[in-house]
Amino acid sequence: MAKKPEEIKPGLPAWQGTFGDLMNLLLCFFVLLFSMASMDAAKFEEVAASFSSAFSIFSGGEMSIGKGALIGDGVSQLTELSSYVTSMGIAQSGSDSTEAEADAVGEKNEEELLEAAQDAQMEASQELAEKIQAALEEGEIEQQVDLNYTSQYVQLTIQGSILFDSGKVDIKSDAIPVIDKVGQILENYAGGTIEIEGHTDNVPMSSGGKYTNNDELSSGRALSIFNYLVDTTTLDPAKLIHTGRGEYDPIADNSTVEGRAKNRRVEIKIYNPLSASY
């Protein structure tokens, strides 16, 4: 008698059905995520990089499965998925207003960063100014040298009448001790750029002299201070800048004798380490 063939049960094996259901659920899950957000290319790259490090499925696939990163790390990251979706894009409904809000937040954050940077620069200048002021008092030249500061630099101002005779660029002998002490201060506290600026009043130069205008005179006086500091200190000449501003940056009224005296000056700017010009 012939043997009856084994009866084949209809349908797929049970494991295939379970696997197919799992794939369908994952597909629906990611389609839902895609429908909720408008993708931003830059942010998608960030999310992809995060997924790559967390799941390890974008590179070294066989290694990832071997290490179990897909299972072990992947499940732990699901709790953070909502934050990923939020950062990827903006919801379709009301996207215009949300974009405006995002821009406003970005501008506010940028302003806060700029304010924080300026505060840090001002604090650096204030700290440097306190040290230099103490050195001026110790050297007993605080009456001859005025000090003030900005977020970029600490400024030492010496009146022209202390340094030079009228219309001259040679440093007066009486001013040498003051310049020497200023040079010592610069050696101790100036690690970056030092700018030497010469300034004059608006009275025209008399004819027949070496300098025909205030621009030349202010430049010559700044150069005299520069040369003296280079010769008598260890300051790096590459970090010393000398310029003449002439009559174009007054700090007082040129119509009065007192104002013109204040405008004839030499300013030494010591840039702090946080300054862009340091």
Side-chain angles (χ1 to χ4, degrees):
M1 183 175 179
K3 185 178 180 180
K4 293 178 62 176
E6 292 182 5
E7 184 179 357
I8 300 176
K9 295 181 181 181
L12 296 173
W15 70 270
Q16 290 187 5
T18 302
F19 183 81
D21 290 340
L22 177 60
M23 294 298 101
N24 288 333
L25 288 174
L26 288 175
L27 176 62
C28 293
F29 178 69
F30 284 104
V31 169
L32 178 62
L33 293 182
F34 184 83
S35 66
M36 292 172 57
S38 61
M39 303 296 288
D40 181 86
K43 290 189 177 295
F44 180 81
E45 298 247 346
E46 296 177 4
V47 175
S50 177
F51 269 62
S52 178
S53 61
F55 294 98
S56 299
I57 62 177
F58 289 94
S59 61
E62 72 285 357
M63 186 180 297
S64 303
I65 295 174
K67 291 185 178 180
L70 179 61
I71 297 175
D73 293 341
V75 174
S76 66
Q77 296 296 325
L78 291 179
T79 56
E80 301 180 11
L81 200 54
S82 61
S83 63
Y84 291 151
V85 174
T86 302
S87 65
M88 284 170 62
I90 303 170
Q92 294 293 339
S93 59
S95 61
D96 291 341
S97 60
T98 310
E99 288 179 359
E101 292 175 0
D103 291 341
V105 171
E107 292 177 359
K108 181 179 180 181
N109 291 339
E110 185 176 353
E111 291 176 358
E112 290 177 350
L113 289 174
L114 288 175
E115 290 179 1
Q118 290 177 351
D119 291 342
Q121 290 176 344
M122 184 62 75
E123 185 176 348
S125 288
Q126 182 178 359
E127 181 179 351
L128 180 61
E130 291 174 354
K131 294 178 181 179
I132 294 177
Q133 181 63 42
L136 292 174
E137 294 174 358
E138 182 179 354
E140 299 180 348
I141 57 172
E142 72 274 12
Q143 300 299 322
Q144 290 83 12
V145 182
D146 295 328
L147 181 148
N148 54 57
Y149 62 91
T150 70
S151 62
Q152 298 294 310
Y153 54 78
V154 175
Q155 178 176 294
L156 304 179
T157 302
I158 309 174
Q159 294 302 316
S161 59
I162 296 176
L163 298 173
F164 308 102
D165 290 325
S166 178
K168 304 295 183 181
V169 300
D170 298 323
I171 301 174
K172 296 166 61 174
S173 59
D174 294 345
I176 294 299
V178 176
I179 301 300
D180 286 338
K181 292 179 180 179
V182 169
Q184 293 174 3
I185 292 174
L186 296 178
E187 287 179 321
N188 292 333
Y189 299 108
T193 301
I194 302 171
E195 188 170 0
I196 305 167
E197 290 185 354
H199 299 263
T200 67
D201 56 28
N202 64 348
V203 177
M205 297 290 297
S206 58
S207 59
K210 180 178 179 181
Y211 297 97
T212 60
N213 56 59
N214 286 317
D215 294 339
E216 294 178 356
L217 179 63
S218 62
S219 296
R221 288 180 170 180
L223 181 60
S224 293
I225 301 297
F226 168 84
N227 288 332
Y228 186 84
L229 292 176
V230 169
D231 292 339
T232 60
T233 70
T234 60
L235 295 172
D236 183 1
K239 294 184 177 180
L240 295 176
I241 301 173
H242 55 91
T243 59
R245 300 297 307 277
E247 62 193 71
Y248 307 111
D249 190 19
I251 58 174
D253 187 0
N254 272 313
S255 64
T256 66
V257 175
E258 294 80 6
R260 290 193 294 272
K262 290 182 179 180
N263 289 332
R264 296 189 296 270
R265 68 198 189 277
V266 171
E267 296 176 349
I268 302 176
K269 297 177 180 178
I270 308 166
Y271 287 88
N272 70 59
L274 298 182
S275 170
S277 300
Y278 183 73

